[in-house]
Amino acid sequence: MTDIDVPEAPEPKKRLSRRELERRRMMLRSVGAGVTLIALSLLGYFPILKKLFDRLRPPGALLEREFLAACIKCGQCVQVCPVQAIKLADGDEGFGLGTPFIDPRQQACDFSCDAVQCVLACPTGALTHSISRKEEVRMGTARLARPDACLAMKGQGFKGLARGDLFQGLHRYTEVDRWKPLRVADHPYDLEVCDLCVRECPIPGAISLQPMSGDPADRRRMPVVASSCVGCGACEMMCPADPSAIVIDPKVLRERVA
C-alpha cells in the first residue's frame, strides 16, 4: 500500500489575553477619534477654502481670515443695528458659524446711521474704524449683474412700491425723516425713468446714470458705479427687478482676485 500524506491539522489560533484585547480596542478607538477629528476639521475649513459662502460682512470688517479669527460671535453688532440688517450665520458655514453678515436684498446696511454703531459695539476689533487702512468701512462693491432686467437700461419708468406692499425692509428717507428709518413699503414712487439705485444711495456720487447714446430723445441710461461705493446694499434692496439687476460683490471676492 502506498503511504498517503495526511495534511496536518491547523494549529488552533492563539487566544488573546484580556490585556491585549483591551490594547487593540484602545488603538481602534484612537484611530477612529483621529479620523473623526480630521473630518470635523475639514468640514470647518471646507466652506472657507472653497468660498462656498461669500458673505457681505458689516462695515469695518477685517479681511476674511482675520475677521474669522477676531470675531467672537457675541452678537453685539446685531443688537445695535438700527434696521436689523445684521444676521448670524447658520451651521452650514463651517468656522463661519455665528459670524455676522448682511443679506442686502432683504435688508441693506443703514450706512447713514450715526457713527456706524456696529463698529462701535464690536469688542474685539473684528469691525474697526482704523484710520491706517484706506477701505476699513468698505463692505463690497455694487455691480450691474443683470443689464437686461434694469429698467433704466431699457429707458423705462417705474410707478408703485419698489418691493411690494409685503416687503419689510427699512430705508432712511432723509427728505422725510433724517433720524428714523421708514418702511420701503410705505413709500411709493412715480419715476419717468427708474433711478432708484441712484436716488436711494446714501453715498453721494457712488452710482450715477449715464446716457447710452448721444440722442437726446433716447431715455436709456446705464448705472455706473464709482470708486466711492461702499457696498451698503441699498441699491440691491431698492431695485424693483426680481431678481435684482444690481448686486453687491462682498469685499472678500475683491481680495480673492486682487
Side-chain angles (χ1 to χ4, degrees):
M1 294 181 62
T2 305
D3 293 336
I4 300 175
D5 294 332
V6 179
E8 297 181 0
E11 295 183 2
K13 294 183 178 179
K14 183 180 179 181
R15 298 187 61 181
L16 299 176
S17 66
R18 181 175 297 178
R19 179 176 298 178
E20 290 173 330
L21 286 173
E22 187 62 29
R23 185 181 299 124
R24 292 195 178 187
R25 289 193 188 101
M26 291 181 64
M27 184 180 298
L28 290 174
R29 288 171 185 165
S30 298
V31 172
V35 171
T36 302
L37 182 61
I38 292 173
L40 291 175
S41 298
L42 289 175
L43 285 174
Y45 277 115
F46 187 71
I48 299 171
L49 295 176
K50 292 294 185 181
K51 302 293 184 183
L52 293 180
F53 303 97
D54 292 310
R55 293 298 200 184
L56 184 66
R57 299 301 183 187
L62 300 173
L63 303 184
E64 188 69 4
R65 183 175 297 178
E66 299 171 4
F67 175 80
L68 291 174
C71 178
I72 59 174
K73 309 169 185 178
C74 64
Q76 292 293 322
C77 55
V78 176
Q79 297 179 33
V80 300
C81 180
V83 294
Q84 299 181 348
I86 304 176
K87 307 297 181 183
L88 297 181
D90 295 328
D92 56 0
E93 299 265 343
F95 291 137
L97 170 65
T99 54
F101 73 96
I102 293 174
D103 180 354
R105 185 60 173 165
Q106 297 304 315
Q107 176 60 64
C109 168
D110 182 24
F111 205 81
S112 58
C113 75
D114 300 323
V116 191
Q117 297 173 33
C118 55
V119 177
L120 298 179
C122 180
T124 66
L127 307 179
T128 178
H129 266 317
S130 171
I131 61 174
S132 63
R133 298 165 58 147
K134 181 180 179 181
E135 298 186 348
E136 63 285 288
V137 294
R138 186 186 297 272
M139 303 161 60
T141 303
R143 173 174 58 88
L144 185 61
R146 301 177 63 238
D148 58 324
C150 177
L151 296 181
M153 291 276 289
K154 300 176 183 179
Q156 297 179 359
F158 178 77
K159 186 175 182 178
L161 299 175
R163 299 290 306 280
D165 57 354
L166 298 180
F167 183 61
Q168 298 299 313
L170 301 176
H171 183 66
R172 197 175 295 239
Y173 295 93
T174 55
E175 71 277 9
V176 179
D177 191 334
R178 164 67 180 85
W179 307 105
K180 181 181 179 182
L182 304 175
R183 292 180 71 243
V184 176
D186 293 337
H187 197 93
Y189 294 90
D190 188 357
L191 307 173
E192 185 177 350
V193 176
C194 181
D195 65 348
L196 286 174
C197 57
V198 176
R199 179 183 298 263
E200 304 305 345
C201 177
I203 309 299
I207 305 180
S208 61
L209 293 183
Q210 302 296 329
M212 295 183 63
S213 74
D215 183 359
D218 188 354
R219 303 202 311 177
R220 295 177 303 155
R221 297 291 185 270
M222 175 182 293
V224 176
V225 180
S227 60
S228 56
C229 171
V230 297
C232 67
C235 56
E236 182 174 345
M237 180 179 75
M238 299 301 298
C239 181
D242 190 20
S244 178
I246 192 166
V247 300
I248 303 299
D249 287 335
K251 182 165 61 175
V252 65
L253 293 180
R254 297 202 320 278
E255 290 155 0
R256 185 194 313 171
V257 299

